[in-house]
């Protein structure tokens, strides 16, 4: 599976949109981009995933560039409860049972 | 619907002692995972079960770690004897057929002194 690169940390203001970048320049055609987050003292939680098209659900939006080499997770109105470590993971259909976590981005939402 | 249940939530033991962690996956989920998460790092897979069969245990340190999933439901992960470097959070996750995302439990924080 392709490797991902994320900034180690970022801050955002409560009520504002949080834009979390992820680079995955070696992604191949059958690999999906997944996002999970881990709130302190909890297990990781699935947020969203996508292949080519932008995706939106009740938690977030995922914007994938046309060349698929990078993506952005958008939390439209960040709250204090969104403070967590966010993991960007690339995973293929063939190995869809497997998640390889990096260090993620520690997002701190400030009042 | 109940999520993945793990117990205990916290465990402190002295080195060389045995320890066991228990996991009850989401009902109907055939795939069960055990991960280890060291401080400041992402989770790392230890073992994956499909029903009662361990299909990927390549990252499990077999000299001291063992796992079982009798009857393809609950699972136990054991360490014997524990070492200082085993201090970590041990996470259990499960996955069904649809959706195919993994659902994680809250983890067991192990401290070996």
């Amino acid at each position: 599976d392709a490797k991902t690169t994320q900034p180690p940390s970022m801050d955002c203001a409560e009520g504002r949109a949080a834009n979390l970048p992820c680079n995955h320049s070696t992604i191949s055609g059958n690999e999906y981009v997944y996002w999970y987050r881990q709130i302190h003292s909890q297990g990781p939680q699935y947020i969203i995933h996508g292949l080519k098209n932008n995706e939106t659900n009740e938690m977030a939006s995922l914007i994938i560039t046309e060349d698929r080499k990078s993506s952005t997770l958008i939390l439209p109105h960040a709250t204090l409860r969104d403070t967590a470590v966010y993991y960007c993971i690339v995973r293929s259909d063939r190995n869809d049972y497997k998640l390889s976590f990096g260090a993620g981005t520690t997002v701190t939402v400030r009042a | 619907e109940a999520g993945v249940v793990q117990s205990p939530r916290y465990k402190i033991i002295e080195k060389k002692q045995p320890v066991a962690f228990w996991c009850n996956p989401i009902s109907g989920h055939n795939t069960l995972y055990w991960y280890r998460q060291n401080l400041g790092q992402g989770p790392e897979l230890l073992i994956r079960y499909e029903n009662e069969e361990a299909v990927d245990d390549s990252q499990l340190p077999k000299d001291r770690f063992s796992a079982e999933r009798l009857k393809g439901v609950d699972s136990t992960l054991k360490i014997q004897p524990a070492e200082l470097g085993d201090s970590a959070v041990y996470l259990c996750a499960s996955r069904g057929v649809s959706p195919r995302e993994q659902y994680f439990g809250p983890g067991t924080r192990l401290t070996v002194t």
Side-chain angles (χ1 to χ4, degrees):
Chain A
D1 293 335
K3 299 295 184 187
T4 63
T5 303
Q6 298 178 254
S9 63
M10 62 182 293
D11 287 1
C12 69
E14 187 178 22
R16 297 292 190 99
N19 297 295
L20 284 61
C22 180
N23 287 323
H24 30 78
S25 58
T26 61
I27 193 170
S28 60
N30 67 344
E31 290 182 318
Y32 289 76
V33 179
Y34 277 75
W35 284 84
Y36 277 73
R37 75 178 183 184
Q38 187 171 21
I39 296 170
H40 183 64
S41 295
Q42 297 183 22
Q45 175 192 23
Y46 166 79
I47 301 174
I48 198 168
H49 74 280
L51 182 63
K52 296 180 181 178
N53 299 321
N54 299 336
E55 302 287 345
T56 295
N57 63 20
E58 65 278 4
M59 291 183 68
S61 294
L62 174 60
I63 308 299
I64 302 174
T65 58
E66 191 169 345
D67 63 8
R68 302 209 322 123
K69 293 185 177 182
S70 66
S71 60
T72 301
L73 180 74
I74 301 173
L75 308 177
H77 304 286
T79 70
L80 299 179
R81 289 180 296 179
D82 291 322
T83 293
V85 179
Y86 286 77
Y87 298 100
C88 171
I89 300 166
V90 170
R91 194 179 84 179
S92 71
D93 252 359
R94 183 184 43 172
N95 294 327
D96 74 339
Y97 56 84
K98 188 174 180 179
L99 286 175
S100 297
F101 291 85
T105 296
T106 299
V107 174
T108 303
V109 180
R110 301 191 185 280
Chain B
E1 178 185 280
V4 177
V5 179
Q6 290 189 247
S7 69
R9 289 296 314 276
Y10 304 91
K11 189 74 176 179
I12 301 174
I13 61 171
E14 294 183 346
K15 63 182 180 182
K16 300 184 182 180
Q17 295 301 306
V19 64
F21 315 123
W22 176 79
C23 172
N24 180 241
I26 292 173
S27 177
H29 281 194
N30 295 331
T31 309
L32 184 145
Y33 306 79
W34 282 103
Y35 289 83
R36 177 170 60 189
Q37 185 172 24
N38 293 315
L39 190 64
Q41 300 180 20
E44 296 176 317
L45 180 67
L46 291 174
I47 189 168
R48 173 173 69 100
Y49 282 92
E50 294 291 344
N51 298 303
E52 64 274 8
E53 182 181 359
V55 296
D56 183 358
D57 63 355
S58 57
Q59 302 304 311
L60 189 72
K62 298 181 183 63
D63 56 337
R64 297 181 301 105
F65 286 66
S66 65
E68 61 182 12
R69 191 183 184 198
L70 300 176
K71 301 181 181 179
V73 181
D74 295 0
S75 178
T76 303
L77 178 68
K78 298 178 181 178
I79 309 175
Q80 182 171 12
E83 297 179 352
L84 294 177
D86 296 331
S87 293
V89 174
Y90 292 83
L91 292 158
C92 178
S94 69
R95 190 187 73 163
V97 174
S98 178
R100 294 180 69 76
E101 288 75 37
Q102 294 184 29
Y103 294 85
F104 286 79
T108 297
R109 181 175 297 277
L110 173 67
T111 302
V112 182
T113 64

